[in-house]
Every structure is written in structure tokens, then in C-alpha cells.
Amino acid sequence: MSYFKKLILIAVATFASANAVYAEYVHITTPTTSMVVDANINDYIKFVYYGNRLDDSELGNLAEAGVSWLPAYPVYGVECQREPAMSVTHPDGNMTLDMKITGIERYTDKDGASIVAINTTDRHYPFDIVVKYRTYPNSEIIETWAEATNRQKGTVLLRQFASASMPVKKGDVWMSQFFGSWANETRLEEAPLPHGMVTIKNKDGARNTHTSHAEIMLSLDGQPREDIGRTIGAALCYTGNYEIKVDTDESGYHHFLAGINPDNSEYNLRKGETFVTPPVAFTYSEEGKGGVSRNFHRWGREHRLAHGDKPRKILLNSWEGVYLDIKEHEMHQMMHDIASMGGELFVMDDGWFGTKYPRTTDSNALGDWTVDTNKLPNGIQGLIDAAKNEGISFGIWIEPEMVNSRSILYEEHPEYIVCAENRNPRFTRGGTQTVLDLGNPKVQDLIVNMVDTLLTNYPEIDYIKWDSNSAITTHGSHYQTADKQSHLFIDYHRGLVSVFERIRAKFPDVTIQDCASGGGRANYGYLPYFDEFWVSDNTDALQRIYMQWGTSHFFPAIAMASHISASPNHQTGRLVPLKYRTDVAMSGRLGMEIQPKDMSDQEKEQSRRAIADYKAVRDVVQFGDLYRLVSPYDHKDIASLMYVTPEKDEAVFFWWKLEAFQNQYVPRVKMAGLDPNRRYRVTELNRIDRRPLSFEGREYTGQFLMSNGLEIPLGHDADNHLHYDYASRVLRLEAL
Ligand code: GLA
């Protein structure tokens, strides 16, 4: 142990507990919260407390107040009834674990985070589990995970290997979870926890958030509220298959567990090998779900997201504008149009590559990352030069983990794909797409080299959209030995993360979007390598309100790519006015996904003004604290949220009407997060009305805005009154 580590070795507090043992409390703190586990040497780790921050005297009397003494990291074998975090089979067939604490360390890691490590070892077998907790200065998040090491002769089979477990006292506990599907991602569902087991899981193999999400909130005081109520947020930070369980058994507790999905993933842990589980990030707030979201957003921006401190550029992506039909002159025209509207970046999406099998259809060319010079006679450099002429940056789409059977790569290396021996591959998109075996180091090198070549040859590429459009099928690896076939899902993601790390080590500055058939990879496991994610292939503004609402529970606006697209919308066919489409996109990382040549001059001018307005408040949206005000899920005919700077000197208020009826009444929205004692001047952004709003330019105290609010007209007094059924407002509030 280093001198430095010894110096800050944990000073564990020793208290006589009601259970007549000497509790050795490990007190893990954030500015406002405490997590306490009892780590008595020779005993198992007991979960004692998670909640508001405790002072020393409260800590000293905690046991007498009544605590669970349930295991903080339950293992299978001695007590068999409880859901375990870890279960194993030792080389001699013994299926039990019986862990005792051998020591506690506290140290600072290379990023300045504080780590507490509680070392445990089996009472008989040389098998260790270290349970770790990580906190950052000024962050309300506690990350925890486990590391298992086999020191015995022979291989230990890991059957279950969750990252973390937490008992939550029964009461009126509700769970908020996120569900969905392609083009309908991250929908919110809230319900009281039932008896029995709730399991939230993913088995896609490659992507993990189209359907369920690996984040939940637990509202301890009944129906979830935005502003009040004790609320725990938990996010498993992992790129692959996961499983979250909440077991409500006969005890007085709900038992939360989260980790890699062990289904078809038994892991053979060899002698000397350590299995590191992904972290679960927890937070606790008494400001309801809103408090939990703000804690996650701050931690996300400061510690988890690539470049979380840098404002994002306003971009035009070519996908819904031209789909695969990339043409050089049209790329130039799109660049010119977005530049003239004030955009800062153009991203050429799918369709630019493939020689032997040109990417004119989605059945061709994945794996062959050479420019199609029939489409782009002047290649990528020609596009970069054109972007430079327009004064904007250039970005490009890739899907490096995938291959089409109609590609040179597949013809030369059919063994590179994920596929079981003695089985024909099962192809997905385009009838020919499948997944490369990222567990194979040669495949990892291939992908790193492809990205390296692209970014080295074209150092002015500013942005990459990294896509992933297939699930893993035909479970098996030509590369792995028979005893490691069950490692496929885990090895895939270890390989993928190692690819990300190698690319980021060499290209730390490039902006990278994480996309997976839309919102298939919105998880904090990805975000250390990515600047943002694509929320959904569904760009319909009305449906986006619901999806972005769900997304906002854990992810900050800066990471939430949100684009203005065409009307009728390409996914839903819905006709939505440009004003409304823009006002929804402005509540996230604003971009466009449209063919601007199909827009009228008036629409282009409207977008130019909206982009200028967004620039004025970009920092408030992208770095501000989010307050969700009226939920679209509450059927109040409107939805509303706002962002407030941490200094409370500026805010942006969003209001969208969801339904239109004659003689309709909607609630007046009370604002939140402002300084009650300051006065704020109100200005409307992206205004289309002929006349200003009655409160335009007027000043109100934060107190008034938060207790009364402003009456928002239900429609627009605009030339395009045909779209009266849609109404939306964006208000800027500036403290005087
Ligand atoms: C996925 C993405 C889209 C687009 C297409 C290209 O579906 O989510 O945004 O990039 O692939 O094929």
C-alpha cells in the first residue's frame, strides 16, 4: 500500500450497537447525503443507512434508531432464501460463499474521486470480493460496484455477479421506470412496488436502451413528485445486457439489485483473474424526482460525459433530408443552408461509402469504409473544404461494429462475425447485416484502425456519429474457446470499451454521438466516451415531448440530441408547425434533420431567428438545472419545464400544448428554481406572433413567478393560424 494511501486510510468509527456487536461504520458522504455500511472485521458487510447527511451524534445513535443489518452485498449459499448479488460454483462443486471482512481502505483515485474499498474473503476458499464506493467532491452521487478475485487452483464459475444491492424500507414506495421500443424510447411508467419480483432487463447484446432502461427512481413517500418527497435514483452504468431486480419479499424491505445480466453469461473466473462489475450510481434527494435528476445531470456533466463542460454545436444531419441518397452537390447545398441559418456543423449520415457494394441500400457495404466516389467525386476532403468555405465544421456517420454480408470485409473474413459454430448467421437490417465479434482482438484492431485512419487522414473531422443497428444473433464466437462461449456478451462489451478507450486516447477532442437505431444506447456506461446520444429515430415533436421527458430523468439536456425535422413527420406522418418542432428541439441539444431546400424562405428565416435565440440561451439549457413543471403524462393538456442557471440569474421556460379543444382550460404553470427575491425580465424567444405577449419585457419577482406564474395564451396570433391546434412558448428570464 502506498504511503499516500496509508495516510488517508479510513478512520472507521466504532460504536457499540444495539445488537451487542461493535459496529464499524463506514460513512460514505456527499455534501447532503450519507450512506452507512457496517464493516466489522470478520463479519459480512451490513447495509445500515442511506438518506440525509448524518452528523456524528446521529451516526453514533443510528443502530438504536433501528436499522436493517441486511447484507450490503448478499452472496448465495449459507442463507439461501435471499436474492444474491453473487453466486458461484467453486472448482470442487461447492456452491456457497461465506464472506468475512478483512480490511477497509480509503484512497483517492487518479480523477480525484474518493474511494472506499471494503475487502472481504471467503471463510474457506481463496476467493475475494471487494465492494467499492466512489464519491466526488461536490457531487451528490455515490457509485458502488464489486470486484471478485479467484485465488484458488482451478476455475470458479460465476453464476450471478451483480454490481450492487440495497435494502429499501417498505412503506409506500413507488418505482419510476422507463420502457419503450424503437421510435418510442424512454417512456415513463410509475407504479407502487408490488409484492414479488420486478425485473427490468435487456438481452439485445449490442444495444441496451431501446426497450427498458437501466435506471430507476424509488419514491419513498408515495406517488412520485417533482419537488418534494424522499427519492432514490439508481443508474447502472453499463454498455451491455443488464438486469435490475426489486424483490419485495416477506421482510420489511424491498431488495434492489443491479448488474450485468447473467442470463446465458456464466463466467469462468480463472486463477488470478479479477471480475470487475460495472458501477451503479446512486443519489438521494428530498426534492423529489427533480432533485434526483439535477444530481444526476450535474454528475453526468462533470464526471461521466465526454466534454460535459463544452457547449454543443448546432448541426444539420443529412439522414432525414436525403437518407442514403448522398450526392456531393446536395451535401454542399445542405452545408450552405445550415450555415446561412446560423448552424455550426454539418453531419453527413449513412450512405457515403462502399465501392464493390455501394451503400445505395442498407443491404450493402457496412465494413467497407471507403468513399463512394460516384457519389462524392472529391471525397471527404472535398466536403471538409466546402464546410470550411461555409464557415462550419464537418462530421460523418460510421457504424464500425457491424458488417453486411454484401461487403468485401465479410467475403474476406466471415470468421469475424458473432456466430455459433455449426449455425448459419441470422442477418438483421437489410437482410444482410450482422455484428462483428468485438471479443476478438483482431476485430478490435480493425475497428480502431478504421477510425484512426479516418481521423488521421482527415484531422478536420469535428464530429462522428457512431451507430449500431443490430442486435446480437446466433450466440457464439469463432474466436473464443468452448469454455468461453458463455462470455460472449461480456467479452463483446469489454472489447467495445477497449476500442472506445483506444480511440479516445488518441482523439480526445472529437465530438462523438452515440446512436443505436435511435435511442438504443442512452446509458452512462457509454457516456464517458461520447458527448451525446440520439434520443430516437422518431423526430415527431409531439411524441418527442414524452420521450425527452423520460430521458431527462437521468440525462442532461446537453447529451440529448434533439432535431427539427420535416412536416409531415417521416415516422408518424403528423403535421406539426415549424414553431412547435423548433420549441421542442430547443429544449435539448438543438439540431436539424431536414432537407433545407424543401423549406420556404419564410421557414428558413424563422429557423435563422430561432437558432440565434437558442445561441443566446444555449448555456442555460445545456448547463442549467432542470425543473420539470407539468408532466405530459399527467394529462393536463400541456407539458412544461424550465432550466435555471446555478447562479439563478437566468432561466429558460418551455411550454407546449399537447391537446386542443374549444373552451379549454389548462393550469397556469408555476415556475421553479428561481431566486424568490430577484426580479426577472421576461422575453419571448422564437416568437411568431404578430403582437408581443402581454408580459413581454415586463419584470416579475422569482417569488411571483413561482407562486403564480404567467398566463400563457392557448394559441398564436400568427399568419400561420392554420396550425392553431399547436401552441408552444419559450420564455427567457433574465435577472436584473
Ligand atoms: C439508424 C440511426 C439513424 C440513421 C440510420 C442510418 O437508424 O438511428 O439516425 O443514422 O441508422 O442508417
Side-chain angles (χ1 to χ4, degrees):
M1 187 188 301
S2 71
Y3 174 70
F4 183 59
K5 268 194 199 174
K6 271 188 202 148
L7 263 186
I8 48 174
L9 190 72
I10 185 169
V12 285
T14 303
F15 302 100
S17 89
N19 283 21
V21 290
Y22 280 91
E24 296 215 32
Y25 286 162
V26 174
H27 187 193
I28 302 137
T29 58
T30 70
T32 69
T33 74
S34 287
M35 186 181 279
V36 183
V37 296
D38 178 11
N40 215 8
I41 299 291
N42 281 329
D43 207 342
Y44 63 92
I45 314 170
K46 297 172 187 128
F47 192 88
V48 178
Y49 174 85
Y50 188 35
N52 261 346
R53 181 148 176 170
L54 304 172
D55 64 23
D56 286 349
S57 94
E58 286 163 337
L59 192 61
N61 293 326
L62 200 54
E64 287 74 10
V67 295
S68 79
W69 301 119
L70 285 163
Y73 192 80
V75 292
Y76 181 77
V78 175
E79 280 191 54
C80 303
Q81 295 81 7
R82 193 169 292 127
E83 281 299 317
M86 186 163 289
S87 64
V88 309
T89 306
H90 297 283
D92 64 1
N94 189 309
M95 290 177 66
T96 67
L97 281 171
D98 189 4
M99 310 304 291
K100 62 173 187 184
I101 296 163
T102 55
I104 303 158
E105 290 173 61
R106 198 187 273 270
Y107 56 92
T108 307
D109 75 4
K110 62 176 180 15
D111 302 321
S114 305
I115 310 273
V116 179
I118 305 178
N119 300 321
T120 70
T121 195
D122 190 89
R123 288 177 196 278
H124 177 82
Y125 293 93
F127 182 84
D128 309 322
I129 302 175
V130 184
V131 176
K132 292 191 171 174
Y133 299 88
R134 177 162 53 207
T135 51
Y136 303 85
N138 302 322
S139 165
E140 296 292 358
I141 301 286
I142 298 174
E143 297 170 23
T144 176
W145 70 99
E147 299 180 0
T149 303
N150 173 19
R151 290 183 291 107
Q152 54 195 308
K153 264 206 209 105
T155 297
V156 174
L157 181 70
L158 304 185
R159 304 193 315 272
Q160 279 168 293
F161 30 81
S163 300
S165 162
M166 187 192 286
V168 176
K169 183 78 185 158
K170 280 182 187 166
D172 186 11
V173 182
W174 285 52
M175 181 164 74
S176 307
Q177 62 159 309
F178 309 92
F179 70 98
S181 59
W182 175 80
N184 188 22
E185 291 91 338
T186 329
R187 301 294 302 274
L188 171 67
E189 184 173 76
E190 301 185 319
L193 278 174
H195 284 277
M197 182 101 85
V198 178
T199 305
I200 298 169
K201 48 120 183 72
N202 169 266
K203 295 188 183 186
D204 181 280
R207 310 156 300 176
N208 67 4
T209 63
H210 268 132
T211 49
S212 296
H213 262 248
E215 302 91 34
I216 64 162
M217 288 192 196
L218 296 175
S219 297
L220 310 186
D221 298 315
Q223 189 154 6
R225 288 192 46 182
E226 283 294 340
D227 50 349
I228 194 165
R230 297 171 305 147
T231 312
I232 293 172
L236 176 73
C237 310
Y238 187 53
T239 56
N241 290 354
Y242 59 79
E243 186 180 65
I244 291 178
K245 295 194 280 197
V246 184
D247 184 26
T248 301
D249 62 9
E250 72 289 354
S251 74
Y253 290 84
H254 307 280
H255 306 273
F256 166 88
L257 287 136
I260 297 176
N261 193 335
D263 195 36
N264 292 306
S265 288
E266 296 83 4
Y267 193 89
N268 291 295
L269 193 68
R270 300 187 173 189
K271 181 175 163 62
E273 192 181 345
T274 298
F275 185 94
V276 181
T277 68
V280 177
F282 285 108
T283 199
Y284 171 86
S285 173
E286 301 204 343
E287 289 175 29
K289 292 196 302 170
V292 165
S293 296
R294 289 185 288 279
N295 289 349
F296 266 97
H297 295 176
R298 236 170 281 139
W299 163 83
R301 284 190 304 259
E302 287 170 17
H303 303 292
R304 207 66 206 176
L305 178 67
H307 313 122
D309 57 348
K310 294 210 170 56
R312 305 304 195 235
K313 291 182 179 147
I314 298 161
L315 62 83
L316 170 66
N317 176 295
S318 67
W319 180 242
E320 288 195 22
V322 298
Y323 292 100
L324 295 171
D325 196 13
I326 300 274
K327 294 188 187 97
E328 192 170 81
H329 71 273
E330 241 171 322
M331 297 295 100
H332 288 187
Q333 162 258 313
M334 290 177 106
M335 289 185 209
H336 176 75
D337 284 336
I338 188 62
S340 65
M341 288 188 275
E344 299 152 322
L345 166 68
F346 173 73
V347 180
M348 176 173 64
D349 209 281
D350 195 355
W352 58 269
F353 53 96
T355 43
K356 183 172 178 189
Y357 301 101
R359 185 79 172 164
T360 44
T361 128
D362 62 6
S363 310
N364 286 4
L366 292 176
D368 298 348
W369 299 102
T370 7
V371 180
D372 179 350
T373 45
N374 290 323
K375 291 180 175 181
L376 300 169
N378 293 296
I380 293 173
Q381 193 56 50
L383 297 172
I384 291 174
D385 293 342
K388 260 201 278 185
N389 277 341
E390 298 291 350
I392 58 173
S393 309
F394 177 77
I396 195 164
W397 178 96
I398 52 175
E399 194 180 357
E401 298 155 67
M402 304 285 160
V403 68
N404 288 119
S405 58
R406 289 169 59 82
S407 70
I408 300 167
L409 177 66
Y410 185 76
E411 285 170 353
E412 290 178 356
H413 290 289
E415 78 283 7
Y416 279 0
I417 65 166
V418 169
C419 189
E421 294 294 339
N422 309 318
R423 301 280 172 222
N424 292 326
R426 175 75 54 90
F427 294 108
T428 57
R429 187 181 183 193
T432 59
Q433 178 165 343
T434 194
V435 184
L436 293 170
D437 184 1
L438 270 280
N440 182 342
K442 281 194 184 146
V443 172
Q444 295 165 21
D445 290 347
L446 180 89
I447 295 175
V448 172
N449 289 339
M450 184 280 267
V451 178
D452 189 353
T453 307
L454 185 68
L455 293 180
T456 304
N457 288 349
Y458 306 104
E460 288 153 297
I461 290 181
D462 185 64
Y463 177 108
I464 282 183
K465 174 172 173 179
W466 181 301
D467 213 336
S468 170
N469 286 311
S470 177
I472 283 180
T473 58
T474 330
H475 180 141
S477 167
H478 300 302
Y479 165 77
Q480 291 294 11
T481 48
D483 63 328
K484 287 195 172 173
Q485 290 298 312
S486 63
H487 295 194
L488 177 80
F489 293 122
I490 291 170
D491 281 350
Y492 185 91
H493 288 278
R494 284 182 180 166
L496 184 61
V497 164
S498 130
V499 164
F500 293 154
E501 275 175 355
R502 289 165 66 189
I503 291 170
R504 272 308 189 186
K506 187 149 180 201
F507 303 101
D509 297 331
V510 65
T511 302
I512 315 185
Q513 181 188 76
D514 133 24
C515 172
S517 316
R521 283 183 165 176
N523 183 290
Y524 277 113
Y526 285 98
L527 291 179
Y529 315 101
F530 292 88
D531 299 69
E532 60 178 33
F533 56 84
W534 187 220
V535 174
S536 177
D537 274 347
N538 186 343
T539 55
D540 175 275
L542 188 68
Q543 199 171 336
R544 270 285 180 131
I545 291 175
Y546 293 82
M547 293 189 277
Q548 294 182 181
W549 195 267
T551 304
S552 80
H553 278 66
F554 281 87
F555 300 99
I558 193 171
M560 193 165 77
S562 188
H563 295 178
I564 302 165
S565 63
S567 178
N569 179 267
H570 292 191
Q571 293 79 39
T572 60
R574 204 189 320 261
L575 283 158
V576 179
L578 180 60
K579 158 79 178 155
Y580 195 91
R581 285 179 269 146
T582 306
D583 286 358
V584 173
M586 279 174 87
S587 69
R589 195 282 281 134
L590 175 67
M592 299 187 91
E593 179 125 358
I594 196 166
Q595 172 48 287
K597 78 173 181 201
D598 298 339
M599 296 166 75
S600 67
D601 288 346
Q602 184 263 329
E603 284 180 320
K604 282 187 188 155
E605 173 55 20
Q606 192 180 321
S607 293
R608 194 191 58 70
R609 279 191 282 110
I611 286 173
D613 281 356
Y614 183 78
K615 284 179 183 166
V617 294
R618 166 164 39 193
D619 282 3
V620 186
V621 172
Q622 297 190 1
F623 303 110
D625 287 326
L626 169 70
Y627 291 84
R628 285 180 297 260
L629 304 171
V630 180
S631 168
Y633 292 88
D634 283 352
H635 307 292
K636 298 270 197 300
D637 293 1
I638 57 166
S640 178
L641 56 80
M642 67 193 287
Y643 297 99
V644 186
T645 60
E647 301 75 30
K648 302 194 182 295
D649 56 353
E650 199 173 344
V652 191
F653 169 88
F654 291 89
W655 181 98
W656 306 283
K657 201 167 79 164
L658 307 174
E659 297 276 3
F661 300 103
Q662 285 298 310
N663 294 326
Q664 172 183 20
Y665 301 98
V666 303
R668 187 188 305 127
V669 182
K670 289 187 286 178
M671 297 191 187
L674 300 170
D675 181 339
N677 301 317
R678 289 176 91 165
R679 300 179 75 78
Y680 295 87
R681 179 180 299 124
V682 184
T683 325
E684 185 182 7
L685 303 182
N686 191 22
R687 182 181 132 198
I688 58 160
D689 292 38
R690 277 180 283 243
R691 272 176 294 276
L693 290 165
S694 51
F695 43 73
E696 174 76 22
R698 298 196 180 261
E699 296 157 17
Y700 301 92
T701 60
Q703 172 71 47
F704 176 84
L705 294 169
M706 293 193 291
S707 65
N708 185 81
L710 300 170
E711 193 72 57
I712 312 282
L714 289 182
H716 290 282
D717 172 21
D719 294 337
N720 57 350
H721 60 276
L722 286 179
H723 293 308
Y724 183 84
D725 53 337
Y726 282 92
S728 56
R729 300 285 169 174
V730 185
L731 306 178
R732 180 183 193 183
L733 309 176
E734 290 166 284
L736 301 170

